[in-house]
Amino acid sequence: MLIELKISTKLREDLIDITDLVLEKIEQSGIKDGIAVIFVPHTTAAILINENSDPMVKKDILEYYKRNVPLDYNYYHVEGNSDAHIKSTLIGNNLTLIIENSKVILGSWQGIFFCEFDGPRIRKVYIKIIPG
Ligand code: ZN
């Protein structure tokens, strides 16, 4: 079972909370126990799990990557978005979620964020559910 999500990002860089959307799609699948692999098929975007209770956490994460991987640097890649490729690589393009008793296991403070580093764009996220 493969689910495709479309996400319209609004800014060049943003962390977008997609927790509710992802959980809704997985729960709609009717799978009671198994694994959901979340995959981002882009080279300038990423996906992560972190706190979605205090919005300042997302701000601190974005600032951290901005500070450590600047937009302007003497990069070799001439497209002008090397910072976005590097940020995508550092965070990663997939997550594995555990589905147990029809629920996705997440810590009480955890949320799933789509990471945009070269927006705004229309992006895709795939969810592959493996019963087991
Ligand atoms: Zn590029």
Side-chain angles (χ1 to χ4, degrees):
M1 184 181 301
L2 184 68
I3 299 162
E4 182 184 312
L5 307 179
K6 277 206 167 62
I7 296 162
S8 297
T9 65
K10 307 276 185 276
L11 303 170
R12 181 170 194 271
E13 298 194 26
D14 200 8
L15 263 57
I16 298 147
D17 188 340
I18 59 168
T19 313
D20 290 346
L21 185 60
V22 170
L23 297 193
E24 181 189 297
K25 293 288 180 189
I26 293 173
E27 283 159 21
Q28 277 172 3
S29 77
I31 300 294
K32 289 191 169 35
D33 295 287
I35 294 290
V37 176
I38 318 291
F39 179 74
V40 171
H42 303 289
T43 60
T44 55
I47 193 152
L48 61 77
I49 291 178
N50 215 295
E51 178 173 335
N52 65 354
S53 173
D54 179 2
M56 294 302 115
V57 173
K58 133 182 170 172
K59 206 169 169 168
D60 281 337
I61 293 169
L62 274 171
E63 295 278 318
Y64 172 86
Y65 285 102
K66 269 187 194 172
R67 202 161 62 236
N68 288 283
V69 189
L71 174 60
D72 295 316
Y73 179 76
N74 197 17
Y75 296 113
Y76 295 104
H77 178 54
V78 295
E79 199 189 357
N81 62 354
S82 276
D83 69 308
H85 289 292
I86 294 165
K87 288 165 189 160
S88 164
T89 302
L90 290 171
I91 294 172
N93 65 6
N94 64 90
L95 296 174
T96 305
L97 302 176
I98 300 167
I99 308 161
E100 189 72 18
N101 298 323
S102 305
K103 289 268 173 208
V104 173
I105 297 180
L106 278 177
S108 46
W109 304 106
Q110 288 185 319
I112 301 164
F113 289 92
F114 180 85
C115 312
E116 176 61 84
F117 292 117
D118 195 23
R121 294 181 192 230
I122 294 171
R123 300 292 204 171
K124 284 181 191 169
V125 175
Y126 289 111
I127 304 173
K128 180 76 182 178
I129 300 176
I130 304 152

